[in-house]
Amino acid sequence: MAVPKIGEPARTFRLPSAQGGDIALDDYKGRQAVVLWFTKGMGCPFCRQHMSQLARAYPRIREQRAEILEVTNTPPARAQAYARQFALPFPYLCDPEYRL
């Protein structure tokens, strides 16, 4: 799979969300911006720290008509437990097979 270059449109995808259902990048057409944030998941202390910072900034991000989509290799069942425990305000998408 070719790596996209900066400024190229992202390829579309659909992944399961820890908060339920599947989410596609196309679901966010019309937003000012979508930040795709690839993380190691909750097992990474640096990722948890950044997650906390983004969660605090999330209301201001949404005011700008932007969205954060966190993509992790965490399996959906484990991700659902994390989403409940940490009350993530943005979608926590699961990609355990590294499709994206």
Side-chain angles (χ1 to χ4, degrees):
M1 181 181 319
V3 176
K5 293 180 179 34
I6 294 174
E8 285 184 346
R11 292 183 294 271
T12 190
F13 62 84
R14 180 171 292 282
L15 292 170
S17 169
Q19 291 94 338
D22 288 352
I23 291 182
L25 182 58
D26 289 345
D27 295 342
Y28 296 93
K29 281 187 177 181
R31 296 285 177 134
Q32 182 69 23
V34 175
V35 176
L36 291 177
W37 178 38
F38 295 87
T39 70
K40 293 179 181 179
M42 297 292 186
C44 170
F46 300 107
C47 297
R48 285 194 310 270
Q49 181 181 14
H50 291 297
M51 220 175 296
S52 176
Q53 292 167 339
L54 286 171
R56 286 192 303 272
Y58 192 64
R60 291 188 306 277
I61 292 167
R62 292 297 304 264
E63 286 173 4
Q64 301 301 312
R65 294 185 55 242
E67 183 60 84
I68 297 170
L69 300 178
E70 181 176 1
V71 180
T72 180
N73 63 345
T74 305
R78 177 183 261 174
Q80 290 168 358
Y82 289 152
R84 282 190 302 273
Q85 180 180 356
F86 293 100
L88 300 174
F90 41 79
Y92 188 68
L93 306 180
C94 305
D95 189 15
E97 289 89 26
Y98 297 93
R99 294 181 300 154
L100 187 55

